[in-house]
Amino acid sequence: MDTVDRRILEELQEDARLSYNELSRRVNLSAPAVADRVRRLQDSGVITGYHAHVDPAAAGLPVTALVRMECFGPRCLLRDAPALEMTEILQLHRVTGDACCVLLVAVASMAHFEEVIDRLAEHGRPSSTMVLSSTYAWRPVRPPSAQW
């Protein structure tokens, strides 16, 4: 990945709806060259998709929490495909330490959150931390330069 690829990633993370013509203007390459580079970034798995950033609170899910799960064995949350499909789970990270995984959960109310915790408790011991505010709800990825 060179400087031009990093610049393309920066621009696409700022606005994934840019046309190849506009993107080519911003990175000083021809549109076909930019299209080829974007395809290579997709094929190599650097670009994994294009999507809108949605504010959960504005979409009717004002209660957000981080939930640590202590679970293992056959009841582990990570082994239960239907549980992993819970729409309230926005992110799920397998982690090291005394927890199995950490989830980012967004729900409509505290009563709804209680229901989610009860469902998660079937898999182990949940421990939650309510999110009061987020300084960085999302940040663009900045690949290291070649000097790293």
Side-chain angles (χ1 to χ4, degrees):
M1 184 175 313
D2 63 13
T3 305
V4 175
D5 288 338
R6 284 191 291 280
R7 188 84 176 93
I8 288 170
L9 290 174
E10 185 177 313
E11 292 293 341
L12 287 176
Q13 287 180 96
E14 185 67 32
D15 183 359
R17 298 186 310 166
L18 288 174
S19 68
Y20 286 137
N21 286 334
E22 178 60 21
L23 186 55
S24 69
R25 187 186 66 72
R26 293 184 185 191
V27 299
N28 297 319
L29 277 182
S30 69
V34 165
D36 183 55
R37 283 177 175 261
V38 169
R39 270 190 292 282
R40 277 191 281 126
L41 289 166
Q42 292 169 336
D43 292 344
S44 67
V46 175
I47 296 175
T48 60
Y50 299 89
H51 45 269
H53 295 282
V54 177
D55 178 349
L61 303 170
V63 178
T64 307
L66 297 169
V67 179
R68 292 175 61 247
M69 288 294 300
E70 290 183 29
C71 55
F72 52 88
R75 290 184 21 213
C76 179
L77 178 67
L78 296 174
R79 292 191 172 117
D80 187 347
L84 296 176
E85 295 298 318
M86 293 172 56
T87 59
E88 296 89 352
I89 301 173
L90 301 182
Q91 295 180 10
L92 182 126
H93 305 276
R94 184 175 180 196
V95 298
T96 62
D98 59 348
C100 170
C101 54
V102 175
L103 299 75
L104 176 65
V105 173
V107 293
S109 66
M110 287 304 291
H112 187 183
F113 182 67
E114 187 174 0
E115 291 172 13
V116 169
I117 290 295
D118 288 345
R119 283 189 285 167
L120 292 173
E122 296 171 6
H123 300 280
R125 187 169 69 178
S127 174
S128 62
T129 301
M130 303 309 295
V131 175
L132 300 176
S133 64
S134 298
T135 303
Y136 300 116
W138 176 85
R139 279 184 110 172
V141 173
R142 304 278 187 235
S145 61
Q147 64 198 35
W148 289 97

